Amino acid sequence: MPAQPSAPQVRVTVYGSCVARDTVDLAGADRFDVVAYIARQSLLSADHDASPRFPAEVEIGSEFQRRMMAGDFAGNLEERLAEAAPETDVLLWDLADERHGVHLFEDGSVVTRSIDIVRVPEVLSVIEGARHIPFGTDEHFELWAPRAEKLRDVLQELG
């Protein structure tokens, strides 16, 4: 029996938790390739630049954690998706990173209450000055729903 031609790899951008990224990895590196990974960033922090608040001198356990926190503070989701779009066949969106809610600063900037942020005292002290909006509250949903519609539009534009 002749060998079947192998299917091309599906190029995946993961927006969400490490569980989603690991799931793609476990599905088979011969079938799926993670081309971009955007983690620990609520949809509500997208396009809300709080980067001036990110502590310059802070010890963070890994470079990955630093990049993800800095990206969240910068609100760079749309930028990251645009960078990945030419290399992406499928976007896997895992909502797990929404589960702790967000912190809203008086100037309107938003930071995700991620597991990494609450583990780093210097960063945690920054968000203590902002109002926590817990996931699942009416306020969270009222802010989140239009952002989901905007993400849909962005994804359509990116193809």
Side-chain angles (χ1 to χ4, degrees):
M1 185 165 163
Q4 296 278 336
S6 62
Q9 275 192 322
V10 176
R11 301 168 304 172
V12 181
T13 290
V14 176
Y15 168 37
S17 76
C18 58
V19 174
R21 186 208 55 227
D22 292 348
T23 300
V24 174
D25 288 345
L26 289 171
D30 58 326
R31 295 178 30 199
F32 300 97
D33 180 29
V34 175
V35 296
Y37 176 40
I38 307 158
R40 301 171 184 139
Q41 194 171 142
S42 170
L43 186 56
L44 292 176
S45 69
D47 219 18
H48 287 95
D49 188 5
S51 57
R53 298 177 185 280
F54 191 73
E57 301 299 320
V58 60
E59 283 193 39
I60 298 174
S62 77
E63 185 54 35
F64 170 77
Q65 290 169 331
R66 176 182 291 280
R67 279 194 324 273
M68 293 307 108
M69 278 192 266
D72 181 51
F73 270 75
N76 71 359
L77 172 64
E78 290 179 21
E79 177 184 323
R80 296 281 314 279
L81 290 172
E83 289 171 358
E87 304 297 319
T88 300
D89 299 316
V90 173
L91 172 69
L92 173 58
W93 183 18
D94 170 12
L95 298 174
D97 288 335
E98 300 286 348
R99 72 188 183 272
H100 299 295
V102 295
H103 289 271
L104 175 64
F105 292 94
E106 288 181 14
D107 65 0
S109 58
V110 178
V111 174
T112 305
R113 185 173 179 84
S114 72
I115 194 75
D116 289 334
I117 284 177
V118 299
R119 288 182 180 163
V120 179
E122 298 90 345
V123 181
L124 184 58
S125 69
V126 168
I127 64 170
E128 286 175 350
R131 188 167 58 84
H132 180 226
I133 302 173
F135 176 79
T137 62
D138 289 343
E139 180 181 17
H140 187 276
F141 183 74
E142 287 170 15
L143 294 170
W144 193 88
R147 299 299 299 180
E149 291 176 5
K150 183 174 189 248
L151 177 63
R152 178 202 58 213
D153 295 344
V154 167
L155 294 174
Q156 286 176 336
E157 289 173 19
L158 294 173

